[in-house]
Amino acid sequence: MIDIAIIGGGAAGLTAGMYAARGGCQVTVFESFLPGGQSAKIRHLENYPGFAQGVSGVDFVLALQEQASRFGVEFCYETITGLHLQGEEKLLISAKNRYPAQTVIIATGASPRKIGLAGEERLTGRGVSYCATCDGALFRDQAVAVVGGGDTALTDALVLANYAARVYLIHRRDAFRGSFILQQRVKQTANIETVMSHVPKQLIGEDKLQGLVLQSTVTDLQRTLPVAGLFVAVGVNPQTEFFQDQLELSGNGAILVDGKMATSCPGVYAAGDCRETPLRQVVTAAADGAVAASSALEYLISQGKTLHRS
Ligand code: NAP
């Protein structure tokens, strides 16, 4: 029996694991492939407290995983496809096994939202991408576009400006919502052209992206950009599909929690980007993980449960 089962090995899940293991619990973090989540995709994490010069996302999550392991967190590299959360004993189901657990922390994160254009799926990996850090280098000396006006879009444009000849940053309004410091850097980067009050209307290309038609949001005018890459950064969707019937969710599918990260189901907690939150940052995900673990531990003790590791 697992004391605290954690689904997701990003900053929230790994931090929850570390806190729970230090609290004397048997903890297993379930992760489909490699731990790290969205944090691992960050080229240069510069706003996590304590790293004066910043740190690469990969280095950050590797250190966090090592730290969690040091306190006894176990890792299980299986995709959880089913969950029974109601009742005293919880059950996690993968293709290979069934894992009973006393409590569950859901830290499944969020995935990039699609823009919803015809051909988007077909051209994904053939010019359309959702990760500038992963795919930016493929567009060296070419023209690319980024769509979105938040921190992700601004960061993506700055990352891509290191490789691409020209970066068009397309936003549907006349003001960005991303951080001031990122907006300043975008302004100061010579090969980024901002295209405000426009939205992508059509992807050009059959086997690979060859261009993008934009539609103005204030006039009837259209414009065609000859780009080889389109980086979509229009927000994220919480990854909560496979347990949505068992927990209370917000209108956009994020898990509703109280100040202790407790969900609507006793003994089940949520942390990080999968929960309803005003800010999705590495530091807030890590903080959520710490609160969720401490609450799960408090729950186990209040219920008089036996912990399986001392
Ligand atoms: P976000 O803040 O939700 O921004 C999404 C952007 O996409 C908005 O500008 C939105 O426009 C635009 N958009 C949404 N749907 C669109 C559509 N159908 N067509 C065109 N544009 C569309 O998402 P995010 O930038 O991915 O950030 C998510 C969270 O991660 C935030 O909390 C952010 O602070 C955090 N984050 C932080 C950093 C950092 O600190 N360096 C880096 C990345 C992400 P409107 O503005 O008009 O709504």
Side-chain angles (χ1 to χ4, degrees), residues 42 44 46-47 113-115 147-155 170-173 175-179 182 198-200 233-236 273 278-281:
I42 302 171
H44 188 66
E46 64 173 16
N47 58 358
R113 201 176 282 151
K114 302 216 179 325
I115 195 113
V147 59
D151 283 334
T152 304
L154 297 172
T155 308
I170 301 150
H171 183 36
R172 63 183 176 184
R173 290 188 294 121
F176 290 116
R177 76 165 56 220
S179 324
L182 296 174
H198 279 76
V199 285
V234 295
V236 292
D273 289 1
L279 188 61
R280 291 190 163 88
Q281 301 274 307

Side-chain angles (χ1 to χ4, degrees), residues 26-139:
Q26 196 289 322
V27 186
T28 302
V29 171
F30 291 86
E31 175 59 55
S32 298
F33 184 43
L34 291 173
Q38 296 284 319
S39 310
K41 295 181 184 170
I42 302 171
R43 187 165 185 253
H44 188 66
L45 174 59
E46 64 173 16
N47 58 358
Y48 196 90
F51 292 91
Q53 302 307 319
V55 58
S56 86
V58 169
D59 288 348
F60 175 79
V61 295
L62 287 175
L64 190 48
Q65 188 185 8
E66 187 186 332
Q67 196 176 9
S69 300
R70 188 159 72 80
F71 291 110
V73 172
E74 290 171 23
F75 290 86
C76 178
Y77 295 101
E78 289 177 29
T79 303
I80 299 301
T81 51
L83 267 178
H84 294 297
L85 297 175
Q86 309 300 329
E88 226 175 277
E89 189 176 301
K90 320 296 180 195
L91 189 65
L92 287 75
I93 302 164
S94 75
K96 292 187 202 157
N97 290 303
R98 296 161 80 84
Y99 298 94
Q102 308 209 71
T103 59
V104 176
I105 296 175
I106 298 172
T108 46
S111 56
R113 201 176 282 151
K114 302 216 179 325
I115 195 113
L117 285 179
E120 183 172 356
E121 201 130 327
R122 185 184 76 247
L123 291 168
T124 296
R126 297 162 180 219
V128 175
S129 169
Y130 302 85
C131 178
T133 307
C134 319
D135 299 332
L138 301 173
F139 298 90

Side-chain angles (χ1 to χ4, degrees), residues 197-199 214-223:
S197 304
H198 279 76
V199 285
L214 300 182
Q215 171 70 58
S216 164
T217 54
V218 286
T219 70
D220 289 341
L221 290 180
Q222 293 192 353
R223 177 178 174 186

